[in-house]
Amino acid sequence: MTGRLHGTVALVTGASSGIGEATARSLSEQGATVALLARRRERLTSLAEKIRAAGGTALVVAADITDQPQAAAAVDQVVAELGRLDTLVNNAGFMGLGPVLNAPLQEWERMLEVNVQGLLYVTHAALAHLVRAAQDSTRQVADLVNISSTAGRVARRGTAVYNLTKFGINGFAEALRQEVLAKHVRVSVVEPGAVDTELSSHLRDGVRQSIERQVRGLELLRPEDIADAVTYIVTRDRRVAVNEILVRAADQTW
């Protein structure tokens, strides 16, 4: 398969559904060999089969990125089996919404584990490989894309801890961008608005119904819309760095 990413390797976390799945497909269509990382092996296997049937190359890596040894081993496996790592898309996420008062602490802990610690673990393991890829590839650039959220820009009632994780992702990305730009590793964030994915399935009863009322009447974004933004970022010439893309549903006010 040819394309702008031919000869590169891309790792996508949270690749078993939604934005991660769509992003893996899109990068594969551009010629990248894609490593699919998530916990649900059966879903990853199914996606890999679809990518291969379309003429692409995919590697299944089943792991829990909230466990640091598993996250590091997953990155090591990708580089060992595919030879390099040019693109990392930190997509895995968990959304738990609702008021702070009387909130279940396990929801907060899960958001911090997935949205922050998991992202940090994978980034820590991958960064040196991205630096090497930028040095030895014909494109002379590598990319690290973090999937954030409109909740990383706008704080609203009922989203406090989710805001905490997504504002944190944005701050981390900007500081890291400044550290590695001279090494030709581009660091970007994509901030999706309301997207039709499984993310809201994690919400508690009552909270889920409230969110459903909030988005009622909106034409939700599709995962492919966010995948398009990621693909746009990583297919630019090395002289171009697209550091941030905010993608809202057209009728979304927040």
Side-chain angles (χ1 to χ4, degrees):
M1 183 176 289
T2 59
R4 291 189 176 188
L5 299 178
H6 179 70
T8 70
V9 173
L11 170 60
V12 181
T13 72
S16 58
S17 66
I19 292 169
E21 177 179 350
T23 297
R25 286 175 177 265
S26 182
L27 298 180
S28 175
E29 289 168 2
Q30 286 293 326
T33 295
V34 290
L36 313 172
L37 174 54
R39 291 176 301 163
R40 296 179 289 186
R41 180 180 294 274
E42 67 284 353
R43 290 241 189 148
L44 297 179
T45 300
S46 175
L47 174 58
E49 290 171 352
K50 293 173 184 175
I51 289 172
R52 292 165 188 152
T57 304
L59 172 69
V60 170
V61 184
D64 181 355
I65 64 168
T66 67
D67 180 84
Q68 188 275 329
Q70 287 192 53
V75 173
D76 288 345
Q77 179 185 346
V78 171
V79 176
E81 296 194 28
L82 301 179
R84 59 186 304 107
L85 181 60
D86 302 85
T87 304
L88 169 62
V89 182
N90 281 316
N91 165 73
F94 179 83
M95 181 175 70
L97 305 181
V100 169
L101 183 64
N102 298 322
L105 282 175
Q106 61 266 32
E107 283 192 356
W108 294 3
E109 291 163 353
R110 187 61 181 162
M111 279 188 281
L112 291 170
E113 287 170 353
V114 179
N115 300 356
V116 179
Q117 290 179 332
L119 180 146
L120 293 177
Y121 292 155
V122 175
T123 299
H124 183 270
L127 195 56
H129 298 295
L130 294 173
V131 170
R132 281 194 289 273
Q135 293 170 345
D136 68 17
S137 73
T138 56
R139 299 176 69 238
Q140 293 293 290
V141 71
D143 285 282
L144 196 167
V145 183
N146 299 299
I147 305 301
S148 181
S149 169
T150 52
R153 296 172 62 96
V154 180
R156 305 174 69 246
R157 58 187 296 173
T159 64
V161 179
Y162 191 59
N163 287 136
L164 171 70
T165 66
K166 295 302 184 177
F167 270 80
I169 287 172
N170 289 3
F172 173 72
E174 173 56 20
L176 180 59
R177 180 190 73 81
Q178 295 176 32
E179 288 188 22
V180 298
L181 62 84
K183 301 180 186 299
H184 302 294
V185 177
R186 300 182 293 203
V187 180
S188 309
V189 292
V190 177
E191 298 155 321
V195 186
D196 186 10
T197 70
E198 296 179 2
L199 198 62
S200 62
S201 66
H202 302 139
L203 297 176
R204 287 171 283 132
D205 288 343
V207 175
R208 183 171 60 254
Q209 285 78 6
S210 175
I211 296 300
E212 288 172 351
R213 287 193 297 271
Q214 181 181 343
V215 301
R216 188 173 296 148
L218 284 182
E219 184 176 1
L220 299 178
L221 294 166
R222 299 171 183 172
E224 291 76 16
D225 298 324
I226 310 307
D228 285 346
V230 175
T231 303
Y232 179 81
I233 288 171
V234 304
T235 54
R236 297 309 89 197
D237 186 271
R238 65 168 287 184
R239 72 181 182 279
V240 180
V242 182
N243 302 131
E244 182 178 22
I245 296 183
L246 171 64
V247 187
R248 287 188 175 106
D251 299 325
Q252 187 174 341
T253 57
W254 66 91

